[in-house]
Amino acid sequence: MSEQLNEQELVKHIASVTNADEQLIKLVLKHEAAFINNAKEDKNGEVEIDGDELVDYVLSRPDVKSNELVVESILDTEMEYLMDKGLAGYVD
């Protein structure tokens, strides 16, 4: 990993790109982390995350008052940020 994650910078970046409320962004990221932490690893120790399942999970949380488009936008912008920072990527 080439750079450490600065959550405050991440939230501000997502807010600037998506115009979403920072509290909603933090909430979406919190539920995303819970989803990922509960995902099962495969035999290689890798976790495969289905984007649609993740969005559905976040939207199913009772404290998330948003819609699919906004949640997808937040998650997509987060992934772009993490990839730009060298902290994440997609597996082929």
Side-chain angles (χ1 to χ4, degrees), residues 39-48 91:
K40 302 288 184 233
E41 293 181 354
D42 66 13
K43 64 183 180 200
N44 299 321
E46 296 178 355
V47 175
E48 187 174 321
V91 177

Side-chain angles (χ1 to χ4, degrees), residues 51-83:
D52 292 332
E53 289 178 12
L54 174 57
V55 170
D56 290 344
Y57 174 82
V58 170
L59 288 171
S60 74
R61 303 299 88 196
D63 55 346
V64 175
K65 308 290 186 236
S66 189
N67 62 56
E68 184 175 352
L69 188 60
V70 172
V71 171
E72 281 182 353
S73 179
I74 290 169
L75 295 172
D76 288 346
T77 303
E78 176 203 22
M79 188 61 170
E80 291 167 9
Y81 175 90
L82 294 174
M83 288 172 45

